[in-house]
């Protein structure tokens, strides 16, 4: 090994190996290949392990620094971590991209191909999981001592494909080739119990006698912040049986029974969001939430006791953030650990738990707040049921003490109606110090809708922390052409301080800069066009307006409104083929939950409409529709930089925040949207001339929904929409099958809870306004530049600093 020159009297110091040396060493000794026989995936693993080695030094330094300083720890509990491929992120944050590129260039290899050979971890489904991943990046960048806790799903969310336009769900296999980033912690295993009964000891203390035990095994992934100066941990739990094999049954030839415990245990971490339309599926979902939450809390308490003795001070050193209601079981579980395991009295245990716990709400849909049937809950968690009843007694006393005239039954976690339910949103609210919304509008609506009574009793508990995105992943890495132009123009300080993008504002008036900005978008659209042709065989015109809606398929997100307007546009183009139409490409992507029948029917409708339109030779390239399968982080990184128009068209009052809207605008796409979620704040930052707002506002939506709205009447008053609904009913878009989309027709005419019909004309008119603006590229590119320039406030770094200051009290 090469040595550094040494001065007299100094011991010889050895130069650390180069990144190239480390890659080659791992290729040989970790992968077991020589350079002549290595395939792309081998190089990917070797590079990942080499980068991981570099991260480990900073990881250990960070850990020692945190322990030495006594910095407050933040633990982020989330059912999803949609982290995407980690290699490019790590290279970028560690500032090793160019060194890696030079190494592969010397060998005639393409770094891009090496990066894309990494599997995309299937650990999330949408905004909830991607937000958690952005927060992990930003906590490390800002310097918060953070650990993320979640589940190491073996198959994660399903892989989506289409058969004759219908969604098919297949298991993901992202772990088949191993995971180069994780460290298995064989010494860290925590028991998670279910079932059984509760008895009392000689002193009358409750004793839980569980009938089932699952072991949670830890796998750690280092998460480096920008420049690698701070490295945090993502700890994921994998389920293991308490007894690996019943050897007696096996030797008697009953092989299936012998392995039963292993099968039951491992099912908990097989799949993200198993179908809950069966009793077995509902029980599995509950057990998943209990499994990772209990293991995480046991781990947190264990870490605390390594350096502290008095658990009554837990809240001084620990902040636990519950990402949505999935980990809400943390409230009774932390009380149980403090009371039953560590001997604290109940009231003190609850006060300590409340001091530690904080809850982020992500939805105003009551059904999405989760509630579990009492029978199921008590059967699986009898001790927790006792604790929740005691917590409800505390809540009742606090309601009465507030003197606001609120019925305690409305506030309590246990809803006695319809056989009884445990309301997890109420439980999380009662048991937390802070409850935050994720956009200004969402936070105010929380106070008036789903948590109105709780807010009346606890008026200081709700506060806002508007979501953000990491600029490293969602501009620097996914859009190198644009990030390069920005850095050339204003320097690279924006990567760690996104608000420096404000310096781009004057360049919106610079014709030469606008042209360079336009060429970047054109290149990205060419790349997406190639990707679409590879995936679907559909040829796109990159000069057309790329109009994109990519997100989870749900009625409130209104992919249905988008495709109905697309059908009306097709009709208008056919009726007036010589009209001054702006060529458009409509791009959809997103997954529907396996048991969500209407959402899956909407996917089928979009695919059938695409088949009709794309094969109409008379239309040519004037209008194309594509639905890209298996939407994930990796595909988003190709799609978002290519967007001209970002569809954020949820029914006003239903989208908590959105983060896709931020990613698109940051990359120079203009937004068409309702005044919903973070669209409100994007409007404030980019200016009303640089965003396209349509439709009813949240108060109007609430009034219409509660005032005897008759959707068939509104459809009849909207000729373009009526024509489209008639076509769907007649089988025009389904090869004459008049029954295929009867569920959609019935939804539009008889239900329309998410108000597609009332917003249709406004949406249509706004789209035609967009056509006009896009035809004048000077107008359009000026708006696009101003969107990028004014999105700095939406950095997740800003969001994390807000949490650290206002909620966690954990600023570094």
């Amino acid at each position: 090994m090469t040595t550094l020159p040494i001065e007299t009297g100094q011991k010889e110091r050895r130069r650390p190996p180069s990144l190239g040396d480390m890659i080659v060493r791992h290729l040989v000794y970790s992968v077991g290949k020589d350079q002549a026989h290595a395939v792309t995936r081998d190089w990917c693993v070797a590079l990942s392990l080499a980068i991981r080695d570099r991260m480990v030094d900073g990881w250990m330094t960070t850990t020692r620094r945190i322990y030495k300083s006594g910095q407050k720890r933040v633990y982020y509990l989330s059912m999803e971590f949609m982290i995407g491929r980690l290699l490019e992120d790590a290279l970028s944050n560690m500032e090793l991209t160019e060194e890696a590129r030079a190494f592969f260039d010397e060998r005639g290899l393409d770094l891009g191909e090496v990066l894309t050979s990494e599997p995309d971890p299937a650990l999330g489904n949408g905004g909830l999981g991607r937000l958690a991943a952005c927060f992990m990046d930003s906590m490390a960048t800002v310097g918060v001592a953070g650990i993320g806790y979640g589940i190491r799903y073996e198959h994660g969310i399903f892989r989506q494909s289409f058969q004759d336009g219908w969604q098919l769900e297949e298991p993901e296999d992202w772990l088949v080739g191993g995971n180069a980033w994780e460290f298995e912690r064989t010494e860290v295993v925590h028991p998670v119990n279910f079932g059984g009964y509760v008895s009392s000891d000689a002193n009358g203390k409750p004793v839980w006698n569980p009938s089932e035990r699952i072991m949670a095994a830890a796998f750690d992934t280092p998460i480096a912040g920008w420049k690698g100066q701070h490295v945090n941990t993502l700890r994921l739990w994998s389920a293991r049986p308490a007894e690996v094999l019943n050897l007696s049954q096996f030797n008697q030839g009953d092989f299936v029974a012998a392995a039963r415990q292993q099968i039951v245990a491992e099912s908990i971490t097989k799949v993200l969001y198993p179908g809950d339309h069966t009793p077995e599926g509902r029980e599995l979902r509950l057990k998943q939430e209990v499994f990772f939450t209990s293991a995480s809390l046991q781990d947190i308490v264990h870490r605390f006791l390594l350096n502290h003795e008095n658990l009554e001070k837990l809240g001084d050193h620990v902040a636990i953030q519950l990402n949505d209601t999935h980990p809400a079981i943390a409230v009774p579980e932390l009380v149980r650990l403090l009371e039953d395991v560590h001997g604290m009295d109940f009231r003190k245990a609850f006060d300590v738990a409340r001091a530690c716990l904080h809850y982020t709400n992500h939805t105003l849909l009551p059904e999405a707040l989760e509630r579990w049937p009492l029978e199921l809950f008590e059967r699986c968690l009898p001790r927790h049921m006792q604790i929740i009843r005691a917590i409800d007694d505390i809540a009742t006393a606090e309601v009465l003490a507030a003197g606001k005239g609120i019925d305690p039954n409305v506030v309590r976690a246990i809803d006695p109606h319809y056989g009884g339910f445990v309301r997890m949103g109420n439980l999380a609210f009662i048991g937390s110090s802070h409850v935050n919304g994720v956009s200004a509008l969402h936070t105010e609506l929380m106070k008036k809708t789903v948590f109105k009574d709780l807010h009346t009793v606890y008026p200081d508990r709700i506060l806002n922390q508007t979501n953000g995105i990491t600029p490293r992943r969602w501009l620097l890495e996914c859009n190198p052409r644009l990030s390069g132009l920005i850095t050339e123009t204003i320097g690279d300080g924006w990567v760690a301080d996104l608000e420096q993008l404000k310096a781009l504002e004057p360049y919106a008036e610079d014709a030469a800069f606008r042209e360079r900005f336009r060429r970047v978008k054109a290149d990205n659209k060419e790349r997406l066009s190639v990707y679409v042709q590879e995936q679907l065989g559909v040829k796109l015109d990159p000069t057309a307006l790329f109009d994109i809606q990519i997100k989870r398929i749900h009625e409130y997100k209104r992919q249905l409104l988008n495709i109905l307007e697309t059908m009306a546009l097709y009709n208008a183009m056919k009726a007036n083929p010589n009209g001054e139409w702006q060529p458009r490409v409509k791009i959809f992507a997103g997954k529907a939950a396996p048991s969500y029948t209407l959402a899956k029917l909407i996917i089928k409708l979009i695919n059938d409409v695409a088949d009709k339109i794309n094969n109409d030779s008379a239309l040519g390239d004037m209008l194309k529709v594509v639905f890209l399968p298996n939407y994930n982080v990796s595909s988003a990184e190709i799609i978002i930089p290519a967007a001209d128009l970002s569809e954020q068209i949820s029914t006003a009052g239903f989208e908590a925040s959105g983060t896709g809207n931020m990613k698109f605008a940051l990359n120079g796409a203009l937004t068409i949207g309702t005044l919903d979620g973070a669209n409100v704040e994007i409007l404030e930052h980019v200016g009303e001339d640089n965003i396209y707002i349509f439709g009813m506002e949240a108060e109007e939506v609430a009034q219409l929904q509660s005032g005897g709205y008759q959707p068939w009447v509104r459809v009849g008053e909207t000729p373009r929409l009526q024509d489209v609904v008639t076509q769907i009913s007649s089988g025009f878009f389904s090869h004459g099958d008049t029954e295929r989309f009867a569920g959609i027709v019935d939804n539009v005419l008889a239900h329309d809870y998410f108000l597609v019909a009332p917003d249709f004309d406004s949406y249509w008119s706004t789209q035609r306004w967009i056509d006009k603006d896009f035809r004048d590229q000077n107008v359009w590119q000026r708006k696009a530049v101003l969107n990028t320039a004014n999105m700095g406030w939406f950095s997740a770094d800003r969001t994390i600093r807000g949490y650290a200051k206002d909620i966690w009290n954990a600023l570094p």
Side-chain angles (χ1 to χ4, degrees):
M1 182 179 289
T2 305
T3 59
L4 291 169
I6 57 174
E7 298 177 11
T8 306
Q10 285 186 330
K11 292 184 178 180
E12 182 177 310
R13 291 175 294 156
R14 296 185 180 276
R15 177 181 296 139
S18 70
L19 178 62
D21 291 340
M22 296 169 72
I23 295 169
V24 171
R25 181 174 180 80
H26 274 298
L27 182 70
V28 174
Y29 294 106
S30 301
V31 180
K33 290 283 189 76
D34 62 25
Q35 295 187 52
H37 296 92
V39 299
T40 304
R41 177 65 181 144
D42 298 329
W43 286 112
C44 177
V45 173
L47 175 59
S48 299
L49 291 170
I51 300 300
R52 191 184 75 166
D53 285 354
R54 289 283 183 93
M55 292 170 70
V56 165
D57 290 335
W59 199 16
M60 292 183 175
T61 300
T62 298
T63 302
R64 286 192 291 266
R65 183 172 65 245
I66 291 168
Y67 277 117
K68 183 177 180 180
S69 67
Q71 186 177 347
K72 190 172 187 178
R73 296 286 191 102
V74 174
Y75 299 99
Y76 196 83
L77 273 61
S78 180
M79 196 79 171
E80 302 182 37
F81 282 94
M82 200 172 177
I83 52 178
R85 292 169 173 151
L86 290 174
L87 179 51
E88 185 175 10
D89 213 31
L91 277 172
S92 177
N93 279 359
M94 298 295 291
E95 298 185 292
L96 292 169
T97 302
E98 293 311 313
E99 190 174 347
R101 193 184 311 280
F103 171 85
F104 286 108
D105 284 348
E106 287 176 6
R107 287 156 179 77
L109 299 170
D110 184 343
L111 175 61
E113 291 183 6
V114 172
L115 296 178
T116 56
S117 69
E118 179 184 16
D120 192 328
L123 299 173
N125 183 38
L128 181 83
R130 187 52 233 171
L131 180 76
C134 283
F135 279 7
M136 290 301 299
D137 176 279
S138 287
M139 278 195 276
T141 295
V142 170
V144 170
I147 295 181
Y149 281 114
I151 295 179
R152 183 179 179 267
Y153 301 102
E154 185 176 340
H155 299 294
I157 196 66
F158 60 86
R159 182 190 292 123
Q160 181 195 53
S161 61
F162 299 130
Q163 185 176 68
D164 191 29
W166 294 99
Q167 173 178 290
L168 294 181
E169 300 100 26
E170 301 169 317
E172 271 284 6
D173 58 358
W174 74 282
L175 276 175
V176 166
N179 180 2
W181 296 101
E182 67 185 10
F183 292 87
E184 182 176 4
R185 303 303 192 191
T186 56
E187 76 283 8
V188 181
V189 181
H190 296 293
V192 181
N193 298 322
F194 300 98
Y197 62 95
V198 180
S199 60
S200 300
D201 65 13
N203 298 315
K205 178 183 175 182
V207 177
W208 185 14
N209 304 277
S211 58
E212 181 183 4
R213 171 168 289 186
I214 307 294
M215 309 306 292
F219 289 78
D220 288 353
T221 298
I223 304 293
W226 178 237
K227 295 183 181 290
Q229 295 173 355
H230 186 106
V231 184
N232 282 330
T233 304
L234 173 61
R235 173 162 286 184
L236 301 178
W237 300 105
S238 184
R240 300 284 187 269
E243 181 183 82
V244 177
L245 186 72
N246 187 314
L247 192 58
S248 174
Q249 287 179 319
F250 188 88
N251 288 332
Q252 292 172 20
D254 195 347
F255 306 130
V256 173
R260 181 184 176 279
Q261 275 200 20
Q262 182 172 357
I263 295 168
V264 169
E266 293 180 356
S267 67
I268 287 181
T269 52
K270 284 286 185 188
V271 174
L272 170 63
Y273 300 142
D276 60 355
H277 55 288
T278 66
E280 294 80 7
R282 285 192 292 276
E283 182 173 331
L284 179 56
R285 280 214 191 186
L286 175 59
K287 285 185 172 180
Q288 282 184 326
E289 295 177 5
V290 174
F291 168 79
F292 98 89
T293 304
S294 175
S296 302
L297 292 175
Q298 291 179 64
D299 208 51
I300 291 166
V301 171
H302 171 75
R303 286 174 182 273
F304 176 84
L305 291 174
L306 290 175
N307 294 279
H308 307 279
E309 294 180 357
N310 185 0
L311 276 168
E312 293 186 10
K313 301 292 185 181
L314 189 66
D316 295 339
H317 301 274
V318 164
I320 302 168
Q321 192 70 37
L322 310 180
N323 191 28
D324 215 4
T325 54
H326 305 125
I329 194 67
V331 178
E333 173 64 3
L334 186 51
V335 171
R336 185 190 70 82
L337 291 171
L338 295 174
E339 182 183 11
D340 294 6
V341 178
H342 296 282
M344 200 177 288
D345 72 75
F346 167 75
R347 182 62 212 225
K348 174 58 71 174
F350 176 71
D351 290 341
V352 169
R354 183 184 265 179
C356 297
L357 295 170
H358 313 279
Y359 162 50
T360 300
N361 172 269
H362 286 280
T363 183
L364 298 175
L365 292 169
E367 65 270 21
L369 288 174
E370 287 195 316
R371 58 179 197 167
W372 299 106
L374 278 182
E375 182 278 326
L376 168 63
F377 200 97
E378 192 148 24
R379 174 163 47 82
C380 288
L381 302 165
R383 177 63 181 129
H384 297 75
M385 195 71 256
Q386 287 184 337
I387 293 170
I388 291 171
R389 289 193 172 100
I391 290 171
D392 269 352
D393 289 342
I394 292 175
T396 297
E398 291 174 342
V399 168
L400 297 175
K404 303 289 187 179
I406 301 295
D407 179 359
N409 284 322
V410 176
V411 170
R412 291 164 67 97
I414 297 174
D415 180 356
H417 300 96
Y418 311 109
F421 291 90
V422 180
R423 296 179 287 206
M424 303 306 282
N426 286 35
L427 180 62
F429 196 114
I430 293 165
S432 296
S433 288
H434 300 90
V435 178
N436 73 279
V438 289
S439 73
L441 176 64
H442 168 235
T443 300
E444 289 309 305
L445 289 174
M446 280 170 56
K447 298 174 183 178
K448 298 173 183 177
T449 58
V450 289
F451 294 134
K452 178 181 178 181
D453 294 310
L454 282 159
H455 174 59
T456 300
V457 177
Y458 307 100
D460 299 323
R461 191 159 299 183
I462 294 179
L463 72 164
N464 181 57
Q465 295 293 338
T466 297
N467 283 344
I469 56 174
T470 169
R472 272 76 62 184
R473 169 79 71 165
W474 294 112
L475 181 52
L476 180 68
E477 296 161 31
C478 79
N479 200 344
R481 294 175 178 87
L482 181 55
S483 61
L485 174 60
I486 293 170
T487 296
E488 180 185 333
T489 306
I490 65 170
D492 65 359
W494 63 270
V495 180
D497 179 11
L498 197 61
E499 298 211 40
Q500 290 188 26
L501 289 181
K502 194 77 173 173
L504 286 175
E505 248 189 335
Y507 292 92
E509 309 304 328
D510 183 331
F513 182 84
R514 290 199 306 268
E515 174 57 22
R516 295 181 70 189
F517 197 92
R518 185 200 64 77
R519 289 204 303 268
V520 165
K521 182 68 71 174
D523 289 343
N524 289 331
K525 290 168 73 173
E526 288 277 4
R527 181 175 69 146
L528 176 56
S529 298
V530 170
Y531 180 75
V532 169
Q533 189 150 22
E534 290 172 348
Q535 294 288 309
L536 298 173
V538 178
K539 192 175 189 310
L540 303 181
D541 173 11
T543 66
L545 190 160
F546 277 25
D547 176 353
I548 299 178
Q549 186 174 21
I550 50 174
K551 52 185 75 245
R552 179 168 54 95
I553 309 300
H554 196 288
E555 290 169 82
Y556 87 83
K557 294 180 182 289
R558 297 205 295 191
Q559 286 91 353
L560 181 58
L561 174 62
N562 190 345
I563 195 60
L564 291 173
E565 190 273 339
T566 304
M567 296 154 78
L569 178 59
Y570 173 70
N571 290 338
M573 288 178 168
K574 294 293 286 182
N576 183 15
N578 297 317
E580 193 178 356
W581 301 109
Q582 168 58 48
R584 275 195 188 234
V585 175
K586 286 275 192 173
I587 297 175
F588 296 84
K591 298 177 181 180
S595 58
Y596 195 168
T597 303
L598 187 61
K600 295 172 80 169
L601 193 60
I602 291 170
I603 291 176
K604 173 60 174 169
L605 176 63
I606 294 170
N607 280 323
D608 278 6
V609 171
D611 183 60
K612 181 79 171 180
I613 291 175
N614 297 343
N615 289 295
D616 188 331
S617 58
L619 206 61
D621 287 335
M622 196 61 67
L623 182 62
K624 295 290 185 185
V625 181
V626 294
F627 197 122
L628 287 163
N630 204 40
Y631 175 61
N632 57 18
V633 174
S634 297
S635 58
E637 290 170 333
I638 298 172
I639 298 168
I640 289 171
D644 293 309
L645 186 66
S646 162
E647 296 270 353
Q648 308 297 331
I649 59 176
S650 53
T651 311
F654 284 88
E655 184 70 84
S657 170
T659 54
N661 47 7
M662 303 170 191
K663 295 162 195 164
F664 279 108
L666 181 62
N667 283 272
L670 274 62
T671 300
I672 179 170
T674 52
L675 276 175
D676 198 25
N679 288 354
V680 177
E681 288 151 292
I682 292 175
L683 168 66
E684 293 170 358
H685 283 266
V686 306
E688 63 181 11
D689 292 336
N690 304 307
I691 189 172
Y692 299 95
I693 298 298
F694 75 95
M696 293 179 292
E697 297 185 21
E699 288 186 2
E700 296 173 283
V701 167
Q703 289 171 5
L704 192 57
Q705 287 177 329
S706 62
Y709 164 55
Q710 296 176 313
W712 61 90
V713 174
R714 187 60 64 93
V715 171
E717 296 169 347
T718 313
R720 287 188 184 90
L721 179 58
Q722 186 175 37
D723 289 346
V724 167
V725 173
T726 300
Q727 285 178 313
I728 297 172
S729 299
S730 70
F732 179 77
F733 289 99
S734 52
H735 302 286
D737 185 344
T738 59
E739 294 300 318
R740 181 179 300 171
F741 298 116
I744 288 176
V745 172
D746 179 65
N747 182 272
V748 173
L749 293 177
H751 305 291
D752 196 24
Y753 182 73
F754 295 104
L755 304 179
V756 166
D759 274 351
F760 184 88
D761 271 345
S762 177
Y763 182 56
W764 168 273
S765 299
T766 305
Q767 290 285 22
R768 303 294 73 78
W769 175 19
I770 288 166
D771 287 340
K772 175 178 175 294
D773 282 354
F774 189 79
R775 281 194 290 271
D776 186 339
Q777 279 294 296
N778 275 324
V779 169
W780 189 269
Q781 294 305 326
R782 182 182 181 278
K783 293 173 181 285
V785 172
L786 289 172
N787 266 262
T788 296
N790 287 290
M791 287 302 293
W793 189 78
F794 295 94
S795 169
D797 300 348
R798 183 269 312 158
T799 308
I800 287 300
R801 289 190 181 97
Y803 274 93
K805 175 179 178 290
D806 301 332
I807 295 178
W808 303 330
N809 189 28
L811 283 170

